[in-house]
Amino acid sequence: MSDEPLVLGVETSCDETGVGIVRGETLLADAVASSVDEHARFGGVVPEVASRAHLEAMVPTIARACRDAGVALTDLDAIAVTSGPGLAGALLVGVAAAKALAVGLDIPIYGVNHLASHVAVDIVEHGPLPEPTMALLVSGGHSSLLLVSDVTHDVRPLGATIDDAAGEAFDKVARVLGLPFPGGPHIDRAAREGNAIAIDFPRGLTSGKDMTRHRYDFSFSGLKTAVSRWVQLREQSGESVVVADVAASFQEAVVDVLTRKAVLACREQGVEDLLIGGGVAANSRLRSMAQERCDAAGIRLRVPRPGLCTDNGAMVAALGAQMVLRGRTPSLLDLPTDSSMPVTQVQS
Ligand code: KG4
Ligand code: ZN
């Protein structure tokens, strides 16, 4: 028997019910049930629908993760669960389930931050995190640059979006282009056939003054409006809109700013390792441009495989296992959920 901790992680902050199992720094299972299809016709995640879907998926997803990992619940050493940030009702379902497991099995529980989990997941893919690591987190709800000195308790925000998150911009622009929700993967696919320099869309917060006040911050709302207006003007004048070109040019603008600021932050803070996580890290152009720019700047790049970038339970289990390995005190059994949990608070 291994003496590394066997940790089960539960993730329900948005529309994915994720249950992952990690032993030490080894991933054993990553079971995910998504309610994304139930939200598609609304063009966005409906919180009440997500909560109900979590409730229905929870027990079967836990059972599937145990089966995949070849372990029994009674083998577990600890439970980890996303306690925030996220949708309030959705978080409650996961935290209630995790508390029930912890009480029933008489093992410790760790309520952990969703964003730190997006960072920690790369440990099970690429090994221990260099300290410090610069993390660019880009998802449907967040776009942040984080200086991570210790993923279990020292995560410092350097910058964040001042309006829309990067994934939100992908989803909104996809809607303008008549592509299904969630739009990110569809824009990614359409852009492969398009010309990324066909339209010169704006790069938010990169002008001289903005680089003083918002050096590491992002803004995607102006870009989204620019794409909308461009499409509208074309349609009004009866000209055709080449979806692939708009998708590629929009994607290029987002990816250009994200990678430019992430590399700048690494250089200026003297950090040699950049990690990209969150759903948008699955974007093929973001991955290729980040690799080019990191190579040119002598920065090592780590990006988890796409399945570990989008929300999942493995990331929560990975962070939970780090908590155990580093001897962090478990959370109390009455740990709260916090839908707007700050990124600096790794544990509840
Ligand atoms: O991390 P995630 O699964 O959930 C949140 O915590 O938000 O991220 C979901 C977001 C969505 O906005 C989705 O459109 C975007 O990630 N996304 C992508 C790609 N795959 C997912 N955006 C761009 N390109 C992709 N390939
Ligand atoms: Zn996420």
Side-chain angles (χ1 to χ4, degrees), residues 16 114 118 139-141 167-168 170-171 182-185 188 278-280 282-284 309-311:
E16 261 93 35
H114 179 80
H118 268 303
S139 72
E168 201 179 344
F170 270 95
D171 296 340
D188 194 346
V280 181
N283 184 267
S284 59
C309 286
T310 45
D311 291 349

Side-chain angles (χ1 to χ4, degrees), residues 11 13-16 45 85-86 114-115 118 138-142 165-172 174 180-189 192 250-251 254-255 277-287 306 308-312 315:
E11 154 62 36
S13 68
C14 193
D15 58 343
E16 261 93 35
V45 175
H114 179 80
L115 301 177
H118 268 303
V138 274
S139 72
H142 303 273
E168 201 179 344
F170 270 95
D171 296 340
K172 288 177 176 169
F181 172 85
H186 296 281
I187 292 205
D188 194 346
R189 215 165 301 133
R192 283 179 207 161
F250 157 76
Q251 176 176 272
V254 174
V255 168
V280 181
N283 184 267
S284 59
R285 182 63 181 136
L286 176 57
R287 296 168 87 97
L308 293 179
C309 286
T310 45
D311 291 349
N312 62 79
M315 64 193 222

